[in-house]
Amino acid sequence: MATLLDALRPVRSLRVAIAMPLLLLSGALATGCRATPARTLMPTTRPLVIAHRGASAHRPEHTLAAYTLAVQMGADFIEPDLVSTKDGVLVARHENEIGGTTDVADKFPSRRTRKVVDGDTIQGWFTEDFTLAELRTLRARERLPFRSHAYDGQYGIPTFDDVLALADSLGRARGRVVGVYPETKHPTYHRAIGLPLEPTLLASLTARGMNRANAPVFIQSFELANLKALRGQTSVRLIYLLDRGALTPERLREIATFANGIGVNTRMLVGADSSAVPTTIVQDAHAAGLLVHVWTLRPEPMFLPKRYRGDALAEVREMIALGVDGIFGDDPFLVAEGTGRIRR
């Protein structure tokens, strides 16, 4: 506990010092789960606290340290974005281009190249050009310049199997479910280069008995065809990611034929200006039988609409008032606090 509090003290020492003991002591009660089922069944809390790339406001994203801290902060789910290595292993990175999140430029300077990924021309270093053994030599770095870089160089790149093992271990230690929420990144691109993500993803879930409807798993994707194909291969809950566009009741009913929910940008529910009027997306989605998860809540003032007046908790509470079923946050502690599970 001392190590965790020391790590978080520069960000919000008083709030963590007061609330974290309560969080850790009441984790099993907060989820409403019991011993063995807690490790194998979908969490029952609402809204779900979903750690966006782990506790990415505090540790380099998509590292085991970020995921572990997220669970300690109260996350119900940890989110690994998945891309492929050259030898077909799924690893947790937000993009297949890893120049900004690792020290790959220092260790493999000659491997920089240019590729077209989903229509965008990108220069950098790509996971599909490296074997897992090569990627294991790299260390993660904080992506954003205004967040702490104190942990740069300390953590490796985990595989999806590493993340699944960690979630199981953390769940067993706490007597509560720790779910995983993988996103298939650029699935059409990966399939085109002979490294399809879906078979390996489903094989890993099957090996752990998690390829079933009530497993603590959501699979998310921005690609419609990807989700429709997955629907025919698995009963795991699927989430269709959306960043913009109209969502009519008719469109939502069509989405419900292949997905269990939608993952939407918060601005699709309510605009950024002070007079914004909420849309009816949440109500319409629920009427269609769909869950609604929102992304991404971040603690820094630069990410907050002015109407919140610098109060990140106000954004959490607004999303809850709108009736969402899950909230993605870079700071899981903040989201958990906003849900009322933790009090100062």
Side-chain angles (χ1 to χ4, degrees):
M1 176 62 70
T3 300
L4 177 61
L5 294 180
D6 289 343
L8 292 173
R9 190 167 287 113
V11 181
R12 51 172 187 276
S13 58
L14 180 60
R15 176 152 59 91
V16 173
I18 293 173
M20 187 63 75
L22 175 61
L23 169 64
L24 295 178
L25 289 173
S26 63
L29 295 177
T31 61
C33 297
R34 295 176 295 277
T36 300
R39 297 193 297 271
T40 60
L41 300 178
M42 186 68 71
T44 58
T45 52
R46 290 294 182 275
L48 295 171
V49 177
I50 307 161
H52 185 240
R53 313 181 197 178
S56 54
H58 304 285
R59 296 291 186 276
E61 64 187 40
H62 292 311
T63 60
L64 295 184
Y67 297 135
T68 299
L69 181 58
V71 173
Q72 292 172 334
M73 287 178 157
D76 300 302
F77 278 78
I78 53 179
E79 181 211 27
D81 295 325
L82 300 180
V83 295
S84 182
T85 68
K86 184 177 182 178
D87 41 352
V89 180
L90 299 185
V91 293
R93 291 287 91 190
H94 180 59
E95 294 290 342
N96 53 328
E97 198 291 303
I98 55 173
T101 60
T102 73
D103 58 358
V104 65
D106 299 329
K107 293 181 177 174
F108 296 94
S110 65
R111 304 280 279 275
R112 189 169 188 259
T113 187
R114 176 184 297 179
K115 299 194 178 192
V116 177
V117 181
D118 292 347
D120 296 322
T121 300
I122 304 169
Q123 287 190 332
W125 291 261
F126 298 83
T127 57
E128 65 268 24
D129 294 335
F130 294 84
T131 65
L132 177 61
E134 290 174 323
L135 291 181
R136 291 287 199 195
T137 69
L138 302 181
R139 291 296 175 265
R141 291 177 173 172
E142 171 55 47
R143 179 176 57 90
L144 299 175
F146 50 82
R147 287 183 174 167
S148 172
H149 286 257
Y151 300 95
D152 287 3
Q154 296 190 24
Y155 312 123
I157 297 176
T159 66
F160 182 46
D161 287 331
D162 292 337
V163 178
L164 291 175
L166 178 70
D168 180 68
S169 175
L170 293 172
R172 290 177 183 276
R174 285 160 179 76
R176 68 174 179 87
V177 66
V178 175
V180 290
Y181 205 127
E183 179 182 348
T184 55
K185 301 296 291 192
H186 310 295
T188 297
Y189 169 82
H190 277 95
R191 182 169 294 277
I193 62 173
L195 294 169
L197 304 175
E198 300 84 359
T200 307
L201 165 59
L202 296 180
S204 291
L205 293 177
T206 299
R208 289 189 168 271
M210 299 172 72
N211 189 0
R212 50 187 171 77
N214 64 346
V217 181
F218 291 102
I219 299 174
Q220 58 180 329
S221 178
F222 278 102
E223 292 194 17
L224 187 68
N226 180 227
L227 289 176
K228 287 186 174 181
L230 279 168
R231 182 75 296 157
Q233 302 172 48
T234 182
S235 59
V236 167
R237 299 185 193 191
L238 305 180
I239 303 293
Y240 185 29
L241 297 174
L242 296 151
D243 189 20
R244 61 181 65 85
L247 281 179
T248 63
E250 294 75 20
R251 175 64 174 142
L252 288 164
R253 286 194 292 271
E254 193 276 328
I255 291 172
T257 64
F258 62 86
N260 302 92
I262 53 174
V264 296
N265 188 315
T266 58
R267 300 287 73 84
M268 292 181 68
L269 302 188
V270 60
D273 62 73
S274 59
S275 61
V277 176
T279 68
T280 62
I281 286 176
V282 175
Q283 301 96 301
D284 294 342
H286 286 167
L290 292 168
L291 298 167
V292 180
H293 297 165
V294 293
W295 50 270
T296 301
L297 277 64
R298 296 182 167 97
E300 292 89 356
M302 68 186 71
F303 293 117
L304 293 171
K306 290 182 180 179
R307 70 173 179 280
Y308 299 129
R309 297 183 180 179
D311 181 6
L313 279 174
E315 184 175 27
V316 179
R317 290 167 181 150
E318 181 173 47
M319 292 301 115
I320 294 170
L322 291 174
V324 304
D325 302 290
I327 300 173
F328 281 85
D330 286 6
D331 186 342
F333 189 93
L334 179 75
V335 178
E337 184 179 14
T339 66
R341 299 186 208 175
I342 306 167
R343 300 189 184 277
R344 301 190 191 202

